[in-house]
Amino acid sequence: MSEHAGRRVTRRRFIFWAALAGLISGAVFLAAAELFALLFARSASPILAVGGFVIDIVPQPFKEFAIATFGEYDKIALLVGLGLAVVIASAIGGILQLVRPPLGVVALVIAGALSTAAIVTRAGVTPLAFLPPVLGTIAGSIIMVLLVRRLSAWRASVVTGTPGAAPGADKNPDAGAGEDAEASGIAKPIARRQFFLLAGIAGASAVIVGVASRAVSMTVASVANIREALKLPSPGTKVTVPQGAELDIPGLSTLFTPNKDFYRVDTALTVPTIDPETWRLVIDGMVDERVELSFQDILDMGVDEYAITLTCVSNEVGGELVGNAMWLGVPLRDVLKKAGVKSGADMVLSKSVDGYTASTPLSALTDDGLDAILAVGMNGEPLPLEHGFPVRMVVPGLYGYVSATKWLTELKVTTFEQDEAYWTPRGYSAEAPIKFSSRIDTPKLGSAVDAGRIPIAGVAWAQSVGIERVEVKIDEGDWTAATLSTPINEDTWVQWFLEWDATPGTHYVAVRAINKNGDLQIEERAPIAPNGSSGWQRSLVRVN
Ligand SMILES: Nc1nc2c(c(=O)[nH]1)N[C@H]1C(S)=C(S)[C@@H](COP(=O)(O)O)O[C@H]1N2
Ligand SMILES: [Mo]
């Protein structure tokens, strides 16, 4: 082989590897974008957004041609076409980066900017939708720079025998021609290995992460559609919301917390997606008979409405981790009856599909006077995916972490001695009744208001007991009884308000509640661990 021919072969081979480097960078770009789309903004998949964009801009005759040619496969044909375009473009990008750096990265950034534009201009995007394509572009660019740098080092070592030799070195006329001439050096194998190592890791990760992220996104979308189409039966008995249950005061929490505003607390990194068709609830442990129930079995029991206020143990005094909802569900005591609870049991360990567990005292679930339920609906719709779709527990009077298991899959009847729930070895009590409390919603903490007659208003809750009285104290004045809204029941919060003649200056407003047992809300401050915060809220208000 002539020196010239050898050099040409070598060059052609490096062009090929540069194209591969480009392909891998493109794959990393798409995979990273898919992963971040899954985490931050489901609708922000670059390929799908660009596909949608193409559909939108393609002229009608071309669309008709596509439908005539590909029939019902026109969308697939479009995606395949797009995929081919991505393959060709990223191969060219890799080659550009090798022969005219940094043109490859420039091309990739342009492609990233275009797909970002396609994403953020689509209807119904979330504010974070720009993140996936931008982060994808960054990841793809980094991989392209690193891969092509290693490739250059390898090429340089082939020509000069030194890894990472100066770019001009391959023009050295004394250098060997082609790879064979340098087979004795060790620089070349190292440079080559480094290139293939990174190419292998990046390529394989891109494929795994990309395919897995897209697959999860698609299941989420399909379960979201199933939920959307689901029609829950109407309740057998409805909750009557009495006249005067809801006060009309600006800044005061609404009586029912809309689902989109309802606080969310869980350990799930991604929201579990469960098809109600395949969902099963297993009741086992200390029972007469292990029972398995389908979603339809639950509905067939006949669902009723329950108004219950949920509270998180992590709610600080004055905090937002509390919300009220109208649940649709069935009593847990009836569900447990189907399996038959054996004597000696004192706890039910509820399990979620994601492995989360909660320990609830058996009596809280079986007492006739308590409405502990399996919920399938929340505020007039199926449970939102984040709130436990298709079935969760709701138990009045107990903090969520010991009772309100979402994405429920098993009820194990057991004892506190035998079993331990998720939070128990993590610094929280095995049993945790809600410490009843009261909160000031308006005026907002640290806010400024105009002098004059204004309402001080908020909410107070003492689930399963009920609120008897709420008292407000301004500066060093006396505790004054606030006016309460008409309670729906003992399991929901009540609203309260007090008219106040606000005078200019700074004032302290404090609140405390008394429950229907006549107990005064705990004054002493306690942190959230191990069993919930306590203390009276006292906030500073500036009056102008
Ligand atoms: N599967 C599962 N269920 C869970 C949790 C969890 O981490 N995983 N957190 C619990 C806690 S601590 C609370 S306060 C409530 C919150 O319910 P929400 O997110 O619907 O408001 O869910 C409970 N159920
Ligand atoms: Mo919680």
Side-chain angles (χ1 to χ4, degrees):
M1 188 167 19
S2 81
E3 226 178 67
H4 262 294
R7 222 174 246 177
R8 206 177 310 122
V9 169
T10 306
R11 184 168 314 137
R12 214 176 282 153
R13 215 186 33 191
F14 282 109
I15 293 290
F16 175 78
W17 293 126
L20 179 74
L23 266 183
I24 291 172
S25 313
V28 167
F29 162 50
L30 291 179
E34 287 294 342
L35 176 65
F36 291 116
L38 180 62
L39 297 179
F40 307 127
R42 294 266 154 76
S43 57
S45 157
I47 279 272
L48 295 187
V50 171
F53 179 72
V54 170
I55 291 176
D56 293 349
I57 59 156
V58 151
Q60 191 57 29
F62 193 89
K63 264 184 213 164
E64 279 156 17
F65 165 79
I67 293 169
T69 317
F70 301 110
E72 55 182 309
Y73 299 109
D74 59 335
K75 300 253 168 17
I76 295 178
L78 170 68
L79 289 177
V80 169
L82 262 180
L84 273 178
V86 168
V87 165
I88 294 168
S90 38
I92 293 175
I95 296 169
L96 277 177
Q97 182 67 12
L98 181 71
V99 296
R100 292 268 182 288
L103 274 192
V105 170
V106 170
L108 203 143
V109 169
I110 291 173
L114 289 178
S115 60
T116 308
I119 286 169
V120 298
T121 53
R122 294 203 72 76
V125 287
T126 52
L128 289 182
F130 73 93
L131 262 183
V134 167
L135 294 175
T137 305
I138 293 172
S141 303
I142 291 173
I143 291 297
M144 181 177 279
V145 168
L146 292 179
L147 274 178
V148 173
R149 196 182 286 164
R150 285 170 187 215
L151 188 61
S152 301
W154 172 19
R155 183 178 60 173
S157 75
V158 166
V159 185
T160 67
T162 24
D170 55 354
K171 295 193 183 81
N172 180 354
D174 297 332
E179 161 176 38
D180 291 349
E182 295 303 322
S184 57
I186 57 156
K188 187 205 69 184
I190 291 178
R192 190 173 62 177
R193 205 180 311 133
Q194 284 185 337
F195 171 74
F196 282 114
L197 186 67
L198 182 61
I201 292 174
S205 326
V207 170
I208 293 168
V209 169
V211 170
S213 304
R214 184 96 292 268
V216 174
S217 289
M218 277 154 68
T219 356
V220 172
S222 79
V223 171
N225 288 340
I226 290 171
R227 175 187 172 275
E228 211 57 49
L230 191 67
K231 187 116 178 49
L232 294 175
S234 354
T237 59
K238 297 190 100 184
V239 169
T240 5
V241 178
Q243 280 280 320
E246 180 145 30
L247 302 172
D248 182 18
I249 297 173
L252 173 63
S253 303
T254 51
L255 181 61
F256 287 98
T257 316
N259 288 353
K260 64 172 175 29
D261 302 330
F262 208 96
Y263 81 91
R264 175 187 165 198
V265 172
D266 53 63
T267 58
L269 189 56
T270 59
V271 175
T273 45
I274 305 161
D275 182 348
E277 268 300 313
T278 55
W279 177 86
R280 292 291 180 275
L281 174 65
V282 171
I283 307 155
D284 58 6
M286 297 168 69
V287 290
D288 298 333
E289 183 197 8
R290 178 185 186 278
V291 168
E292 233 184 86
L293 300 174
S294 68
F295 189 68
Q296 192 58 45
D297 290 336
I298 304 284
L299 299 186
D300 289 345
M301 291 173 67
V303 290
D304 295 313
E305 270 186 355
Y306 298 87
I308 301 169
T309 297
L310 209 63
T311 310
C312 183
V313 70
S314 302
N315 191 47
E316 304 278 3
V317 171
E320 303 275 327
L321 300 181
V322 51
N324 184 42
M326 184 72 83
W327 309 96
L328 188 69
V330 299
L332 264 155
R333 72 181 90 82
D334 293 348
V335 174
L336 289 170
K337 238 174 246 162
K338 288 179 181 284
V341 172
K342 285 205 163 115
S343 64
D346 64 5
M347 186 260 268
V348 170
L349 190 74
S350 50
K351 299 187 191 175
S352 158
V353 293
D354 65 354
Y356 178 86
T357 51
S359 53
T360 313
L362 182 61
S363 58
L365 305 180
T366 51
D367 275 5
D368 281 335
L370 281 174
D371 284 332
I373 57 164
L374 283 188
V376 295
M378 180 177 183
N379 291 326
E381 46 180 273
L383 288 178
L385 300 190
E386 314 80 62
H387 293 291
F389 184 78
V391 180
R392 75 173 304 169
M393 289 171 55
V394 179
V395 181
L398 303 182
Y399 284 121
Y401 83 101
V402 288
S403 67
T405 303
K406 306 190 274 188
W407 314 292
L408 183 71
T409 176
E410 186 187 336
L411 296 173
K412 182 185 179 192
V413 181
T414 177
T415 61
F416 277 103
E417 196 177 276
Q418 216 174 80
D419 280 294
E420 204 177 49
Y422 180 88
W423 283 111
T424 313
R426 292 175 171 82
Y428 287 86
S429 306
E431 298 191 51
I434 294 172
K435 296 177 184 172
F436 72 96
S437 191
S438 49
R439 182 179 80 190
I440 303 166
D441 287 346
T442 181
K444 279 259 165 295
L445 182 82
S447 67
V449 295
D450 289 334
R453 202 168 169 79
I454 58 161
I456 302 170
V459 286
W461 56 92
Q463 292 95 322
S464 82
V465 176
I467 291 288
E468 175 68 30
R469 199 162 73 240
V470 171
E471 295 177 341
V472 177
K473 179 169 142 168
I474 294 154
D475 298 324
E476 295 313 311
D478 294 330
W479 286 101
T480 312
T483 307
L484 301 188
S485 65
T486 313
I488 299 176
N489 59 34
E490 267 129 34
D491 297 334
T492 55
W493 62 16
V494 290
Q495 300 172 325
W496 57 263
F497 80 100
L498 182 77
E499 291 290 350
W500 175 38
D501 288 312
T503 54
T506 54
H507 299 280
Y508 279 102
V509 177
V511 65
R512 67 183 190 187
I514 291 104
N515 73 5
K516 287 204 165 144
N517 292 339
D519 307 318
L520 180 63
Q521 182 181 334
I522 304 169
E523 178 175 15
E524 195 193 338
R525 291 236 156 207
I528 57 173
N531 58 8
S533 66
S534 66
W536 297 343
Q537 186 184 357
R538 186 162 174 263
S539 40
L540 182 73
V541 178
R542 251 176 318 120
V543 180
N544 296 321

